[in-house]
PDB file of all heavy atoms in Angstrom:
ATOM      1  N   ALA L 174      90.025 -45.713 -92.999  1.00  0.00           N
ATOM      2  CA  ALA L 174      89.608 -47.042 -92.554  1.00  0.00           C
ATOM      3  C   ALA L 174      90.677 -48.079 -92.871  1.00  0.00           C
ATOM      4  O   ALA L 174      91.000 -48.937 -92.036  1.00  0.00           O
ATOM      5  CB  ALA L 174      88.275 -47.423 -93.200  1.00  0.00           C
ATOM      6  N   LEU L 175      91.242 -48.010 -94.061  1.00  0.00           N
ATOM      7  CA  LEU L 175      92.289 -48.972 -94.416  1.00  0.00           C
ATOM      8  C   LEU L 175      93.515 -48.818 -93.545  1.00  0.00           C
ATOM      9  O   LEU L 175      94.087 -49.805 -93.087  1.00  0.00           O
ATOM     10  CB  LEU L 175      92.650 -48.795 -95.910  1.00  0.00           C
ATOM     11  CG  LEU L 175      91.592 -49.221 -96.908  1.00  0.00           C
ATOM     12  CD1 LEU L 175      91.984 -48.793 -98.319  1.00  0.00           C
ATOM     13  CD2 LEU L 175      91.330 -50.726 -96.843  1.00  0.00           C
ATOM     14  N   ALA L 176      93.917 -47.558 -93.294  1.00  0.00           N
ATOM     15  CA  ALA L 176      95.094 -47.302 -92.451  1.00  0.00           C
ATOM     16  C   ALA L 176      94.901 -47.815 -91.039  1.00  0.00           C
ATOM     17  O   ALA L 176      95.844 -48.254 -90.378  1.00  0.00           O
ATOM     18  CB  ALA L 176      95.404 -45.810 -92.442  1.00  0.00           C
ATOM     19  N   ALA L 177      93.653 -47.769 -90.561  1.00  0.00           N
ATOM     20  CA  ALA L 177      93.350 -48.220 -89.200  1.00  0.00           C
ATOM     21  C   ALA L 177      93.082 -49.719 -89.125  1.00  0.00           C
ATOM     22  O   ALA L 177      92.816 -50.260 -88.046  1.00  0.00           O
ATOM     23  CB  ALA L 177      92.129 -47.459 -88.672  1.00  0.00           C
ATOM     24  N   GLY L 178      93.115 -50.397 -90.269  1.00  0.00           N
ATOM     25  CA  GLY L 178      92.853 -51.836 -90.292  1.00  0.00           C
ATOM     26  C   GLY L 178      91.402 -52.168 -90.109  1.00  0.00           C
ATOM     27  O   GLY L 178      91.060 -53.293 -89.715  1.00  0.00           O
ATOM     28  N   GLU L 179      90.534 -51.209 -90.372  1.00  0.00           N
ATOM     29  CA  GLU L 179      89.078 -51.433 -90.241  1.00  0.00           C
ATOM     30  C   GLU L 179      88.537 -52.052 -91.523  1.00  0.00           C
ATOM     31  O   GLU L 179      89.106 -51.893 -92.596  1.00  0.00           O
ATOM     32  CB  GLU L 179      88.390 -50.106 -89.933  1.00  0.00           C
ATOM     33  CG  GLU L 179      88.822 -49.515 -88.612  1.00  0.00           C
ATOM     34  CD  GLU L 179      88.310 -48.095 -88.399  1.00  0.00           C
ATOM     35  OE1 GLU L 179      87.715 -47.505 -89.320  1.00  0.00           O
ATOM     36  OE2 GLU L 179      88.553 -47.572 -87.301  1.00  0.00           O
ATOM     37  N   PRO L 180      87.381 -52.740 -91.421  1.00  0.00           N
ATOM     38  CA  PRO L 180      86.834 -53.389 -92.615  1.00  0.00           C
ATOM     39  C   PRO L 180      86.304 -52.377 -93.632  1.00  0.00           C
ATOM     40  O   PRO L 180      85.705 -51.366 -93.285  1.00  0.00           O
ATOM     41  CB  PRO L 180      85.705 -54.247 -92.064  1.00  0.00           C
ATOM     42  CG  PRO L 180      85.356 -53.678 -90.737  1.00  0.00           C
ATOM     43  CD  PRO L 180      86.601 -53.013 -90.224  1.00  0.00           C
ATOM     44  N   VAL L 181      86.583 -52.698 -94.888  1.00  0.00           N
ATOM     45  CA  VAL L 181      86.126 -51.894 -96.030  1.00  0.00           C
ATOM     46  C   VAL L 181      85.561 -52.879 -97.051  1.00  0.00           C
ATOM     47  O   VAL L 181      86.186 -53.919 -97.306  1.00  0.00           O
ATOM     48  CB  VAL L 181      87.285 -51.093 -96.658  1.00  0.00           C
ATOM     49  CG1 VAL L 181      86.847 -50.369 -97.918  1.00  0.00           C
ATOM     50  CG2 VAL L 181      87.867 -50.113 -95.643  1.00  0.00           C
ATOM     51  N   VAL L 182      84.409 -52.552 -97.628  1.00  0.00           N
ATOM     52  CA  VAL L 182      83.835 -53.394 -98.662  1.00  0.00           C
ATOM     53  C   VAL L 182      83.644 -52.567 -99.928  1.00  0.00           C
ATOM     54  O   VAL L 182      83.036 -51.494 -99.895  1.00  0.00           O
ATOM     55  CB  VAL L 182      82.469 -54.003 -98.221  1.00  0.00           C
ATOM     56  CG1 VAL L 182      81.785 -54.694 -99.385  1.00  0.00           C
ATOM     57  CG2 VAL L 182      82.677 -54.984 -97.082  1.00  0.00           C
ATOM     58  N   ALA L 183      84.171 -53.075-101.028  1.00  0.00           N
ATOM     59  CA  ALA L 183      84.010 -52.427-102.326  1.00  0.00           C
ATOM     60  C   ALA L 183      82.633 -52.741-102.883  1.00  0.00           C
ATOM     61  O   ALA L 183      82.172 -53.890-102.826  1.00  0.00           O
ATOM     62  CB  ALA L 183      85.081 -52.890-103.293  1.00  0.00           C
ATOM     63  N   LEU L 184      81.973 -51.710-103.400  1.00  0.00           N
ATOM     64  CA  LEU L 184      80.687 -51.871-104.055  1.00  0.00           C
ATOM     65  C   LEU L 184      80.831 -51.433-105.514  1.00  0.00           C
ATOM     66  O   LEU L 184      81.256 -50.322-105.792  1.00  0.00           O
ATOM     67  CB  LEU L 184      79.618 -51.005-103.366  1.00  0.00           C
ATOM     68  CG  LEU L 184      79.347 -51.346-101.907  1.00  0.00           C
ATOM     69  CD1 LEU L 184      78.455 -50.277-101.266  1.00  0.00           C
ATOM     70  CD2 LEU L 184      78.673 -52.701-101.806  1.00  0.00           C
ATOM     71  N   GLU L 185      80.489 -52.311-106.410  1.00  0.00           N
ATOM     72  CA  GLU L 185      80.597 -52.049-107.832  1.00  0.00           C
ATOM     73  C   GLU L 185      79.458 -51.123-108.270  1.00  0.00           C
ATOM     74  O   GLU L 185      78.368 -51.219-107.771  1.00  0.00           O
ATOM     75  CB  GLU L 185      80.542 -53.396-108.574  1.00  0.00           C
ATOM     76  CG  GLU L 185      81.244 -53.406-109.884  1.00  0.00           C
ATOM     77  CD  GLU L 185      80.371 -52.907-111.005  1.00  0.00           C
ATOM     78  OE1 GLU L 185      79.165 -53.036-110.922  1.00  0.00           O
ATOM     79  OE2 GLU L 185      80.942 -52.365-111.974  1.00  0.00           O
ATOM     80  N   SER L 186      79.736 -50.206-109.179  1.00  0.00           N
ATOM     81  CA  SER L 186      78.768 -49.165-109.505  1.00  0.00           C
ATOM     82  C   SER L 186      77.906 -49.444-110.747  1.00  0.00           C
ATOM     83  O   SER L 186      76.934 -48.710-110.983  1.00  0.00           O
ATOM     84  CB  SER L 186      79.482 -47.824-109.704  1.00  0.00           C
ATOM     85  OG  SER L 186      80.418 -47.922-110.761  1.00  0.00           O
ATOM     86  N   THR L 187      78.210 -50.467-111.520  1.00  0.00           N
ATOM     87  CA  THR L 187      77.427 -50.687-112.746  1.00  0.00           C
ATOM     88  C   THR L 187      75.963 -50.948-112.441  1.00  0.00           C
ATOM     89  O   THR L 187      75.090 -50.510-113.193  1.00  0.00           O
ATOM     90  CB  THR L 187      78.022 -51.860-113.560  1.00  0.00           C
ATOM     91  OG1 THR L 187      79.363 -51.516-113.914  1.00  0.00           O
ATOM     92  CG2 THR L 187      77.232 -52.103-114.829  1.00  0.00           C
ATOM     93  N   ILE L 188      75.659 -51.612-111.350  1.00  0.00           N
ATOM     94  CA  ILE L 188      74.262 -51.851-111.001  1.00  0.00           C
ATOM     95  C   ILE L 188      73.523 -50.527-110.758  1.00  0.00           C
ATOM     96  O   ILE L 188      72.346 -50.402-111.028  1.00  0.00           O
ATOM     97  CB  ILE L 188      74.115 -52.805-109.792  1.00  0.00           C
ATOM     98  CG1 ILE L 188      72.682 -53.278-109.673  1.00  0.00           C
ATOM     99  CG2 ILE L 188      74.609 -52.144-108.523  1.00  0.00           C
ATOM    100  CD1 ILE L 188      72.483 -54.430-108.711  1.00  0.00           C
ATOM    101  N   ILE L 189      74.256 -49.533-110.277  1.00  0.00           N
ATOM    102  CA  ILE L 189      73.661 -48.212-110.019  1.00  0.00           C
ATOM    103  C   ILE L 189      73.418 -47.481-111.341  1.00  0.00           C
ATOM    104  O   ILE L 189      72.349 -46.940-111.577  1.00  0.00           O
ATOM    105  CB  ILE L 189      74.561 -47.370-109.106  1.00  0.00           C
ATOM    106  CG1 ILE L 189      74.810 -48.095-107.781  1.00  0.00           C
ATOM    107  CG2 ILE L 189      73.960 -45.985-108.869  1.00  0.00           C
ATOM    108  CD1 ILE L 189      75.988 -47.567-107.006  1.00  0.00           C
TER     109      ILE L 189
END
Side-chain angles (χ1 to χ4, degrees):
L175 291 171
E179 296 171 354
V181 175
V182 171
L184 298 170
E185 207 275 332
S186 61
T187 300
I188 193 168
I189 302 162

